[in-house]
Amino acid sequence: MSTTDESTPARSAAADGESGAESGRDAIVRAARRAFTLRPYAEVTMRGIAAAAGVSPSLIVKRFGSKEALFNTVADFRTAADELFAAPPAALGRHLVLTMVELRDRFRGDPLLRVVFSLGIEDERTLLRARFREQVTDRLAASLTGPDAQLRAELIAGQLLGLGATLSLHRPDGAGARTSAERLADLYAPGLQRLIDGS
């Protein structure tokens, strides 16, 4: 995560005014991602999310309607998957790395990594893992040709999660933070491409 990560409460988001509409929504989603992945659903409150996001609880209700609707937004990986998989198979490895870095910068947090925090939790957060499997891993497997497509898709997803975890672990002054996306792709994409190609 380039400058901020999902564990950091949002700075003053000026979200009640129209000028801060987008930043307020983004702050709410980041705070909700952290809350829903680290605590059982029943323990998460709109008030707590609002405090972490630096907005009023009424703004969350206005934007999302309910806690369930906000959870469903957090548990949706389709937008990230659309961008990650928007390349032909022969160029997909490099595209995955470059797009992952770009999405992390844009979202000020990793678009996929939240699923890792839900491992081993047996409550509503199982939906997070099911959605990840359906919207990321299974979708990727369906686009691969050759043997072991499901296994290769799972390994590719794991490598993307590993890339996100590594960049987060060594922020803000690690070598990855000082390295261009192009150079990261030079080093990381060939392994992904081998899995994509099945070679």
Side-chain angles (χ1 to χ4, degrees):
M1 299 173 202
S2 56
T3 56
T4 308
D5 88 72
E6 292 165 9
S7 67
T8 305
R11 294 189 187 92
S12 173
D16 287 334
E18 288 305 312
S19 62
E22 228 15 72
S23 63
R25 185 187 190 286
D26 292 346
I28 292 165
V29 170
R30 282 195 301 276
R33 282 176 179 166
R34 177 164 175 79
F36 286 125
T37 53
L38 296 182
R39 293 194 300 278
Y41 181 90
E43 293 179 11
V44 176
T45 66
M46 300 285 259
R47 188 174 300 278
I49 292 170
V55 302
S56 67
S58 63
L59 181 67
I60 300 180
V61 173
K62 178 181 176 183
R63 293 275 171 80
F64 296 94
S66 66
K67 184 170 85 168
E68 182 181 5
L70 182 55
F71 177 82
N72 283 327
T73 298
V74 168
D76 193 335
F77 296 93
R78 286 175 296 187
T79 300
D82 286 346
E83 295 192 47
L84 284 166
F85 302 146
L92 186 57
R94 186 171 192 85
H95 174 82
L96 286 171
V97 177
L98 295 175
T99 304
M100 177 66 83
V101 172
E102 194 274 327
L103 290 174
R104 288 169 57 85
D105 288 343
R106 189 189 328 151
F107 295 156
R108 291 193 294 152
D110 193 285
L112 303 179
L113 197 55
R114 63 190 181 274
V115 74
V116 173
F117 293 102
S118 70
L119 297 177
I121 304 298
E122 297 304 326
D123 61 12
E124 290 88 342
R125 284 177 290 175
T126 58
L127 176 62
L128 198 63
R129 299 193 298 279
R131 290 264 180 91
F132 184 89
R133 184 179 305 111
E134 173 193 341
Q135 296 172 358
V136 178
T137 311
D138 291 350
R139 176 176 170 179
L140 177 59
S143 72
L144 299 177
T145 58
D148 303 313
Q150 187 68 37
L151 174 60
R152 286 157 48 213
E154 290 176 9
L155 293 172
I156 292 164
Q159 287 204 19
L160 288 175
L161 292 171
L163 175 61
T166 298
L167 294 175
S168 296
L169 179 65
H170 298 289
R171 69 178 193 279
D173 56 355
R178 300 189 306 269
T179 302
S180 72
E182 292 291 336
R183 181 59 179 151
L184 287 173
D186 289 344
L187 295 169
Y188 208 81
L192 288 171
Q193 193 62 50
R194 280 194 294 276
L195 288 168
I196 292 163
D197 295 339
S199 58

